[in-house]
Amino acid sequence: MRSWRSAQGLRAAGVGVAVLGLMASGCGGDGGGAGADGKVEIRYSWWGGQERATLINKTIALFEKKHPNIKVKTDFQDYENFWKKFNTQASAGNAPDVFQNSVAFLRKYDDKRVLLDLSSQVKAGNLSMENFRAGLEKAGNVDGKLLGVPVGGNTFALVYNPAEYKKVGVTPEEGWTWKQYDEATEKISKNGKLAGDSGPGGIMYLYDLVLRQHDKAFFTEDGLGFTEADLKQWWTDNYDRTRSGVLTDPKKAEQVKPTSALSKDLSAGEFTWDNFLVRYTSETKTPLALAPVPTTDGKRTGQYISSLMLSGSARTEHPKEVAEFIDFMVHDPEVGTIMGYDRGVLSTTEQFEAYKPTGVSAQIAEYEKKVADNVEPITPHPAGADICEAAFLRIGTDVVMGKTSPEDGAKQFFAEAKTALAS
């Protein structure tokens, strides 16, 4: 890592999966009209576990109580199965009226004419884009269209073991550098039973931040914003640090999945989204904390606020009701108190101020307050970004395991990315 940082200068929030191609959809509608009771029915789908479903169903009951003319039919799956089902529905022109989405998929599905441009509903007064935190009101804007509305925000962080860092005399705080991170992880791996870090080599979002610190980016409007030589150096550094024991043995990390290597006390830190602290602390008795991403110059982290969003179907027959539903879900204070930080720190001030976080959630809120002044705009991901993310993780893992060389891995990634971004 040091050579990359001195010369030129990732686990993701949700690992992208290669999704099926979609047939282009028109702008008609097949969402169904009002029922015999005069109510309009809209379909709402999301990914997540049973706990998220329980919370969302409570918010839907609240919405239907306050909007008795609208009935919401629900469906949820785990991440991978959600996208498989969604692709089948969208290919048939039958996507849910409103659904959970993320920035990685906006351009992809807009290119396939699946997403509803909500701009007209904002103008009509059915959806407010006021009172969003940290510039999140812009997160769903792509090419002048409003394709998604954030329900929660998160940013990257180092989830770490404070006790282990204290032993080596390093405090990971705002403005700390990659040199300090390198020194800390090396000392931890030498002085204790833990590796210094779980291993960042395959985390696309972290590599993006490293690139941004050097005035580059993982994605640009034209494709990839870095070279094969850049990536070869990144993976060489990670391979060398893995072999020396500074980073967790990738075979051991694979064995404990889906639990993180950090939660299993295999490492003293792991780069991931800040709201993952909730999950990680539930997996271990070891106290954990959040630290900002290290910097090259002591100032710039390259961090941005990402988010889960709600999007509408371009084929819905009920754009007004879809907009009213989204508006309620992102602005109603009681919805905020119900959902908490399940999908990230609440995106609007109404909900952020209504929810009083405690414990781990309070740590996440405090962390986002500290980094909020230094976050940067996010670059909309191109169509095929999800396939690139999956390839980066897979090939990066092969490199640190020694299954392929950093040079061959970089060549393979660029070949696969070229195909994905051209499709």
Side-chain angles (χ1 to χ4, degrees):
M1 288 188 185
R2 287 182 295 279
S3 55
W4 159 259
R5 294 175 192 131
S6 59
Q8 308 211 49
L10 304 155
R11 185 149 158 184
V15 174
V17 293
V19 289
L20 303 174
L22 299 177
M23 293 164 25
S25 302
C27 295
D30 60 355
D37 57 2
K39 291 185 177 182
V40 168
E41 181 177 277
I42 60 174
R43 292 181 297 132
Y44 173 32
S45 298
W46 67 90
W47 69 80
Q50 182 58 53
E51 181 178 359
R52 177 174 294 176
T54 299
L55 297 175
I56 288 178
N57 283 327
K58 289 180 179 179
T59 68
I60 290 172
L62 182 64
F63 173 79
E64 290 180 334
K65 181 179 180 180
K66 295 186 178 182
H67 295 78
N69 62 313
I70 304 175
K71 179 177 176 58
V72 183
K73 185 177 181 180
T74 65
D75 182 39
F76 77 97
Q77 311 282 335
D78 62 37
Y79 183 84
E80 184 171 356
N81 286 319
F82 170 88
W83 288 112
K84 287 180 179 178
K85 184 172 183 178
F86 179 84
N87 281 312
T88 299
Q89 293 172 322
S91 295
N94 190 36
D97 296 278
V98 60
F99 51 93
Q100 189 170 286
N101 204 352
S102 79
V103 68
F105 299 102
L106 294 181
R107 185 164 270 130
K108 176 188 182 82
Y109 289 111
D110 182 47
D111 287 351
K112 298 179 184 299
R113 293 184 287 174
V114 172
L115 302 181
L116 175 67
D117 182 359
L118 292 160
S119 300
S120 61
Q121 295 300 319
V122 175
K123 293 179 181 178
N126 299 321
L127 171 62
S128 171
M129 293 305 295
E130 301 293 327
N131 301 330
F132 281 83
R133 299 185 310 106
L136 280 171
E137 71 278 0
K138 300 177 182 178
N141 289 321
V142 175
D143 302 330
K145 292 175 283 189
L146 178 60
L147 303 178
V149 181
V151 293
N154 56 5
T155 189
F156 239 67
L158 175 69
V159 182
Y160 75 103
N161 182 328
E164 292 299 321
Y165 269 76
K166 185 176 181 179
K167 288 178 183 178
V168 298
V170 176
T171 302
E173 57 189 359
E174 185 177 355
W176 73 314
T177 65
W178 287 109
K179 180 180 179 181
Q180 291 173 300
Y181 162 82
D182 285 344
E183 291 174 350
T185 51
E186 288 168 6
K187 289 178 180 178
I188 289 169
S189 65
K190 290 178 181 178
N191 297 342
K193 298 180 180 179
L194 306 180
D197 191 279
S198 296
I203 307 175
M204 183 187 80
Y205 293 97
L206 178 65
Y207 187 48
D208 184 31
L209 299 187
V210 173
L211 289 167
R212 288 161 72 99
Q213 289 180 17
H214 296 87
D215 297 318
K216 297 187 178 186
F218 199 98
F219 294 116
T220 67
E221 293 183 359
D222 300 320
L224 298 177
F226 59 101
T227 67
E228 282 189 33
D230 293 335
L231 183 54
K232 175 187 174 183
Q233 185 63 67
W234 171 255
W235 276 341
T236 296
D237 292 340
N238 278 273
Y239 175 80
D240 291 345
R241 286 165 62 82
T242 300
R243 296 281 75 77
S244 67
V246 176
L247 305 180
T248 300
D249 181 340
K251 293 180 180 178
K252 293 182 178 179
E254 287 292 320
Q255 291 171 355
V256 300
K257 286 184 177 180
T259 307
S260 73
L262 174 62
S263 301
K264 283 294 187 180
D265 291 323
L266 296 178
S267 76
E270 186 168 314
F271 289 101
T272 188
W273 300 101
D274 57 0
N275 62 312
F276 273 39
L277 181 64
V278 176
R279 171 191 151 192
Y280 284 16
T281 54
S282 71
E283 295 175 343
T284 182
K285 294 181 180 180
T286 302
L288 301 174
L290 295 172
V293 175
T295 67
T296 300
D297 60 4
K299 297 178 181 179
R300 186 183 182 191
T301 65
Q303 286 176 260
Y304 47 80
I305 301 291
S306 187
S307 68
L308 285 180
M309 304 179 180
L310 295 181
S311 293
S313 167
R315 295 181 65 97
T316 182
E317 289 187 351
H318 309 295
K320 178 177 181 291
E321 287 78 10
V322 165
E324 290 176 340
F325 177 78
I326 294 175
D327 184 83
F328 183 85
M329 289 299 170
V330 298
H331 288 288
D332 186 270
E334 194 170 348
V335 170
T337 62
I338 292 171
M339 292 304 305
Y341 292 171
D342 178 82
R343 297 175 296 191
V345 178
L346 296 158
S347 62
T348 61
T349 55
E350 297 99 322
Q351 294 188 348
F352 182 80
E353 292 172 359
Y355 177 66
K356 305 303 180 185
T358 59
V360 174
S361 293
Q363 289 186 55
I364 299 169
E366 184 62 26
Y367 173 75
E368 290 213 0
K369 286 181 181 179
K370 288 181 178 179
V371 303
D373 291 339
N374 296 316
V375 294
E376 303 175 6
I378 185 174
T379 302
H381 290 191
D386 54 321
I387 300 174
C388 292
E389 180 187 353
F392 193 85
L393 175 63
R394 170 173 44 81
I395 299 170
T397 300
D398 285 346
V399 169
V400 296
M401 282 188 169
K403 294 181 178 180
T404 189
S405 69
E407 181 176 6
D408 288 344
K411 289 180 180 179
Q412 181 184 350
F413 173 78
F414 268 75
E416 292 189 22
K418 182 178 180 180
T419 300
L421 297 175
S423 61

